[in-house]
Amino acid sequence: MQTLVDAIVYSSLLSMMGFGLTLVRRTTGVWNVAQAGLVTIGAYSVFTGVRFLGGVPYIYLPIAFLISAAVNALLFWVFINPLRRRGSSFFVLLVATIAFNIVLNGLINIYTDFLQNAYSLSSKNFLFTRLDPSILDQSAILFVSLFGLILLTGILFFFLNFTRIGLALRGSIEDPTLSKVMGVKVNRIYLLSWAIAGGTAGFAGALLPMRFQCNPGIGGSLIAIMFSVSILGGVGEIYGPFLGGWLVGFAQIYGISLFSQAFGPWVLPYKKLLPMIILVLALLFTPQGLSGIDWSNKVGSLSKGGKD
Amino acid sequence: MHQLTLFITDLIALLGIYLIITFSLRLQLGYAGIANFGLVLAFTGGAYTVGWLPIRLGMWFFGVNSGLSSDMIWNNAIIISKINPQLESQPLVAVAVFLLTLISACVVGALLGFISGYPAARLRGDYLAIALLALGEVLGIIGGNFQPLVGGPLGVQVPDVWNWVGDLRFIVVSLLIFFLSLVVWVYMRFLEKSPMSRALRAVRDNRDAASSLGKAVPSVRLRTLMVGGVMCSIAGALYAFYTTGVTAGAYGMFDWTFLPWVMAIFGGVHSNWGVLLGTTIFVLVRKLITFYKYSLGFLPFSPIWLQYLLTGGVVLAILMIKPSGLITEKPSYAINKKTLQNIADRVLNNSSS
């Protein structure tokens, strides 16, 4: 049962993190490595709130969302957007996000060092499982992560299909030139997509300490997995990462226990390799991702997808 | 004075090692346009080779009690203590062990370049970069868990093949590493003038045109990744020999992939001089920060993180201000400039007369 809870929480959080990657890749063509730092920022926003103000960790979720959203928007507006306008190649943009992530990494570590030295807080390693209230004999995180994901998907669906800005966002993704002609301020819409992506990453990061041990490198240790989620799900489709997150999450947690039953417990430490194997297989066999495969005669698709 | 000598020897050694890696990136990114974010993979491969091979070579050659080989990791320190004096008294054997290991590291590097490159060379642009980025730490995970390889998280000691030099050991090793990096630099200079460099640039700038002229693009890219892998692997092997120890967790993404990237991008990845300049500046700054770490003790955080802020900040600044780096790409002529000028003059004279 605990394994199932782990798998559900983990998969939901992975879906959210992968969603951020997919969204900005889809809107602006950038793989945002700084997503790693944003997840960590989310976790430390909650840490700061709980340690200084107390209370149930969940009340700090909106703050975590806003801070990460602001940081990602800053990255886009100050660095990525000017670079894109100049027509920089993909690796320049990728290097920019990596460099930004290195700066974030430095800042987060300075902050945690400071908390440790000035307030004697054990900021380098923390877990909030004990602060998690229980609902129906289960930790609340199970429901929060699951409903958080469903809510996110719901809001996104509503936003993309029924609001003017949402439609503009979809339009800017599908056909930027036409959107510009129609009077959509494409750059602002892109900025919005970066903010949403960053916020989602921060939100997922804020939920991490409820179930998993957190440290200043937590986001960095998950970045390869986020890429697997995003690529396996397919960047052609905004809802791809939800599929990818559940596949990767369950594969990692259940796959490894299957392997350990088959080959013995020595395989357990290698579970970190699983997402990379999945990533390589996905890149080899379905580089456009699962949602990019043409299911159109079976399932109605939101967008064309699979162009990449 | 003694401290200064240590500072300079370490600086030279690190400069040599980083130069080999940044030249590898210069080859892969600068010439062939392959954004290899997995430099650390081959580097780790080279280091692991040094953790695994020389101790076995030494045991075999000197006939060290084979009972010890039942658990190479547990008995590591004892075996080393038996091999090191022997290596010290027989410099020729020591050098042979060093060279054999270096050659093996080359093979390992080429193999890793092939394995990571075979699927990857077929991918385009950013997918390739992401695949290499994700694959970068695979060896780190394997080495950290599979104890027999290099002792897992505790690591292993490496036989010291330079002990016979005596007191000057560190200086000699540093100079040797630097010399090897100069060899790589000479190779890069010859490459710059060769048709090969123009073929690589063609593959980089227009793969369709290159393949229409008979260049097998995936094969060229795969070979570039392999040569790049060999270079990184040599750097890893030299680093492991220099520190005389191999620990699985010690080869991180920041130090051995991102930092070389920063150096190359800063100096200009399309120019040999640029790469040299960028690498020198960053190795020096990094060394200075570590050196003055204790003078910065008044800060409420570890000064190591300043290096992160500096590194990231400098890259963002250079990308915004001068994305091509400090020194930009120069055209490579099939014949040297003077001959070209003479021909041009002759043609112009003929047409005017």
Side-chain angles (χ1 to χ4, degrees):
Chain A
M1 188 61 201
Q2 281 313 303
T3 321
L4 182 66
V5 175
D6 271 344
I8 291 175
V9 175
Y10 188 58
S11 306
S12 307
L13 298 187
L14 282 188
S15 296
M16 295 179 202
M17 297 175 201
F19 164 74
L21 277 183
T22 301
L23 182 60
V24 297
R25 173 64 174 73
R26 189 95 177 86
T27 53
T28 47
V30 182
W31 282 114
N32 183 12
V33 178
Q35 185 90 353
L38 297 170
V39 167
T40 319
I41 288 178
Y44 276 98
S45 310
V46 171
F47 178 83
T48 312
V50 168
R51 285 288 176 261
F52 285 97
L53 302 169
V56 184
Y58 295 121
I59 56 176
Y60 301 105
L61 286 177
I63 298 173
F65 185 96
L66 288 177
I67 295 178
S68 302
V71 172
N72 212 29
L74 181 87
L75 166 62
F76 177 72
W77 203 246
V78 178
F79 299 109
I80 302 297
N81 201 25
L83 284 173
R84 277 186 84 242
R85 281 185 184 186
R86 256 186 251 158
S88 306
S89 67
F90 76 88
F91 83 80
V92 169
L93 296 166
L94 195 58
V95 169
T97 67
I98 289 176
F100 193 75
N101 192 48
I102 292 175
V103 173
L104 286 184
N105 214 339
L107 290 174
I108 291 164
N109 275 293
I110 286 175
Y111 179 64
T112 52
D113 272 6
F114 174 71
L115 287 184
Q116 196 171 32
N117 296 337
Y119 297 96
S120 322
L121 293 172
S122 56
S123 55
K124 294 281 177 191
N125 234 324
F126 65 99
L127 182 65
F128 285 157
T129 322
R130 274 196 280 170
L131 294 176
D132 197 14
S134 68
I135 302 172
L136 302 172
D137 284 341
Q138 285 297 333
S139 340
I141 179 68
L142 173 65
F143 303 100
V144 175
S145 60
L146 204 54
F147 286 117
L149 183 67
I150 293 171
L151 200 69
L152 181 80
T153 322
I155 292 175
L156 194 72
F157 181 76
F158 179 79
F159 175 71
L160 288 179
N161 287 294
F162 300 105
T163 63
R164 287 180 64 88
I165 304 179
L167 287 173
L169 178 65
R170 258 177 71 196
S172 317
I173 295 173
E174 305 266 324
D175 197 332
T177 327
L178 189 61
S179 303
K180 265 182 213 162
V181 173
M182 297 300 283
V184 174
K185 292 200 169 58
V186 180
N187 278 328
R188 280 195 210 169
I189 295 292
Y190 287 161
L191 179 69
L192 178 74
S193 76
W194 276 71
I196 295 175
T200 321
F203 189 85
L207 291 175
L208 268 176
M210 309 307 294
R211 192 85 194 177
F212 306 98
Q213 195 88 30
C214 286
N215 55 56
I218 182 75
S221 67
L222 288 171
I223 188 75
I225 306 178
M226 294 182 222
F227 278 122
S228 326
V229 168
S230 188
I231 289 175
L232 184 67
V235 287
E237 177 71 67
I238 285 189
Y239 302 106
F242 300 115
L243 179 67
W246 282 72
L247 275 174
V248 173
F250 270 78
Q252 206 180 352
I253 289 183
Y254 276 100
I256 205 70
S257 69
L258 275 180
F259 278 128
S260 77
Q261 276 163 18
F263 301 107
W266 63 269
V267 293
L268 282 174
Y270 296 99
K271 71 172 178 198
K272 281 186 187 165
L273 288 179
L274 229 84
M276 292 166 194
I277 297 169
I278 296 174
L279 177 66
V280 171
L281 291 178
L283 282 173
L284 281 179
F285 295 110
T286 70
Q288 71 279 59
L290 288 180
S291 62
I293 300 170
D294 190 16
W295 309 101
S296 55
N297 49 353
K298 295 160 193 146
V299 189
S301 183
L302 176 80
S303 65
K304 283 173 287 180
K307 275 188 295 190
D308 299 292
Chain B
M1 185 60 204
H2 180 61
Q3 226 180 5
L4 188 70
T5 326
L6 267 182
F7 181 85
I8 292 172
T9 37
D10 196 39
L11 186 74
I12 291 172
L14 279 180
L15 185 62
I17 288 162
Y18 270 111
L19 271 178
I20 299 176
I21 305 177
T22 47
F23 275 126
S24 161
L25 188 61
R26 155 100 181 96
L27 175 72
Q28 299 178 62
L29 179 66
Y31 283 121
I34 302 171
N36 189 349
F37 283 101
L39 299 171
V40 68
L41 184 73
F43 183 88
T44 316
Y48 283 2
T49 311
V50 176
W52 194 85
L53 189 63
I55 188 166
R56 283 164 177 81
L57 280 178
M59 274 180 83
W60 170 75
F61 191 84
F62 298 121
V64 175
N65 175 13
S66 58
L68 289 170
S69 63
S70 58
D71 191 340
M72 295 290 291
I73 303 305
W74 182 257
N75 296 325
N76 175 265
I78 307 173
I79 301 171
I80 296 287
S81 69
K82 284 185 194 293
I83 294 177
N84 269 353
Q86 302 260 30
L87 284 174
E88 199 176 337
S89 57
Q90 301 186 45
L92 275 180
V93 180
V95 173
V97 167
F98 173 75
L99 289 177
L100 265 177
T101 314
L102 214 55
I103 292 167
S104 312
C106 292
V107 176
V108 169
L111 208 65
L112 285 171
F114 182 80
I115 294 171
S116 66
Y118 188 77
R122 276 147 192 79
L123 297 169
R124 280 190 186 227
D126 54 349
Y127 280 91
L128 171 60
I130 295 302
L132 292 170
L133 180 75
L135 288 177
E137 288 190 327
V138 164
L139 269 186
I141 297 173
I142 294 176
N145 291 304
F146 185 60
Q147 302 254 344
L149 189 59
V150 286
L154 290 177
V156 288
Q157 229 180 313
V158 174
D160 189 354
V161 288
W162 300 109
N163 232 349
W164 53 273
V165 182
D167 291 341
L168 293 174
R169 189 230 174 231
F170 274 99
I171 298 173
V172 170
V173 176
S174 296
L175 289 177
L176 179 85
I177 292 172
F178 194 69
F179 172 73
L180 286 175
S181 75
L182 285 183
V183 172
V184 173
W185 189 70
V186 170
Y187 167 75
M188 293 303 286
R189 262 196 85 76
F190 275 110
L191 185 71
E192 173 82 33
K193 308 243 179 260
S194 75
M196 183 72 192
S197 86
R198 291 183 289 274
L200 287 172
R201 286 181 203 199
V203 167
R204 177 192 72 193
D205 291 335
N206 192 338
R207 52 196 289 165
D208 297 334
S211 58
S212 78
L213 290 170
K215 299 287 170 201
V217 175
S219 152
V220 168
R221 284 160 70 89
L222 185 60
R223 273 182 288 162
T224 312
L225 275 164
M226 284 170 72
V227 176
V230 169
M231 286 157 80
C232 286
S233 181
I234 291 176
L238 290 175
Y239 184 69
F241 268 124
Y242 176 68
T243 56
T244 67
V246 174
T247 318
Y251 312 111
M253 208 75 188
F254 176 78
D255 282 335
W256 305 109
T257 295
F258 295 155
L259 214 55
W261 263 82
V262 170
M263 294 166 175
I265 295 271
F266 179 70
V269 76
H270 295 302
S271 149
N272 286 341
W273 289 109
V275 168
L276 186 69
L277 182 71
T279 311
T280 314
I281 292 175
F282 265 92
V283 170
L284 188 67
V285 169
R286 198 173 131 83
K287 194 78 196 108
L288 283 174
I289 289 183
T290 350
F291 192 71
Y292 286 107
K293 196 165 77 175
Y294 296 104
S295 331
L296 294 166
F298 61 89
L299 294 170
F301 53 83
S302 165
I304 293 292
W305 307 120
L306 289 178
Q307 193 189 314
Y308 280 64
L309 299 190
L310 187 83
T311 313
V314 167
V315 177
L316 287 172
I318 196 90
L319 287 182
M320 301 302 290
I321 301 162
K322 205 166 183 297
S324 56
L326 292 181
I327 302 175
T328 42
E329 182 165 34
K330 288 187 184 60
S332 158
Y333 298 103
I335 27 187
N336 71 38
K337 263 189 199 161
K338 208 172 160 192
T339 326
L340 205 62
Q341 191 64 48
N342 289 341
I343 296 170
D345 290 343
R346 217 166 48 222
V347 171
L348 288 174
N349 288 336
N350 283 345
S351 61
S352 62
S353 63

